[in-house]
Amino acid sequence: MRFEVSQEFYFDAAHTLERKIEAVGSRRVHGHTYHARAVVFGSPDPATGMVVDLGQLRQCLQAVREQLDHHLLDEVPGLGAPTMENLCLFIARKLHETDFPVHAVEVWRQAGGDRCRLELSTEDRLAGL
């Protein structure tokens, strides 16, 4: 028996982006409201009945949120180009640093309908992402 447990958060942030389409607007500093979800798969611990303690997951995600919320993403150490792909990877790496067994991370901008999902294989998790 395998369960999926997830926790969502949001953050507001600004960024610039070099790209070929919509280039002028993307190069200017602009902002979005981002939503993110971290997903953990597993079987419940027999002692606790939980796959993960959601309180601990929320605490870890709050620490990640503080690094992104109301920041210029171009300046966030370890993020790289402020793409949704890199945001997914950044969040997954931060959770991995706290030994959270994250299996997927999703980032989306609801207003624009944009969404990105990173699914981590066992090899990804063992290799440290």
Side-chain angles (χ1 to χ4, degrees):
M1 190 176 315
R2 188 177 90 160
F3 290 87
E4 177 180 304
V5 178
S6 65
Q7 180 64 47
E8 295 181 11
F9 69 102
Y10 74 94
F11 59 97
D12 295 306
H15 72 107
T16 64
L17 194 61
E18 287 293 326
R19 56 193 285 196
K20 293 179 183 179
I21 297 174
E22 301 171 354
V24 174
S26 294
R27 285 188 190 121
R28 285 193 301 262
V29 174
H30 62 283
H32 303 282
T33 297
Y34 294 89
H35 297 265
R37 174 184 297 125
V39 179
V40 178
F41 296 137
S43 299
D45 179 292
T48 65
M50 296 183 283
V51 174
V52 296
D53 185 325
L54 284 173
Q56 289 178 324
L57 180 56
R58 270 192 294 277
Q59 190 174 46
C60 290
L61 290 174
Q62 179 59 29
V64 174
R65 183 179 186 272
E66 288 172 5
Q67 295 175 59
L68 301 171
D69 192 39
H70 288 88
H71 282 80
L72 179 61
L73 296 179
D74 304 58
E75 299 174 352
V76 173
L79 178 60
T83 63
M84 292 200 315
E85 294 87 346
N86 281 341
L87 284 166
C88 285
L89 190 55
F90 179 84
I91 294 166
R93 285 181 173 150
K94 292 299 177 182
L95 289 173
H96 182 75
E97 288 173 8
T98 62
D99 292 327
F100 240 94
V102 64
H103 288 265
V105 174
E106 199 168 358
V107 172
W108 68 97
R109 297 184 306 217
Q110 196 158 339
D114 306 319
R115 182 176 298 264
C116 181
R117 180 178 171 90
L118 168 66
E119 291 194 26
L120 300 163
S121 67
T122 301
E123 293 80 26
D124 292 331
R125 290 189 303 280
L126 291 175
L129 308 179

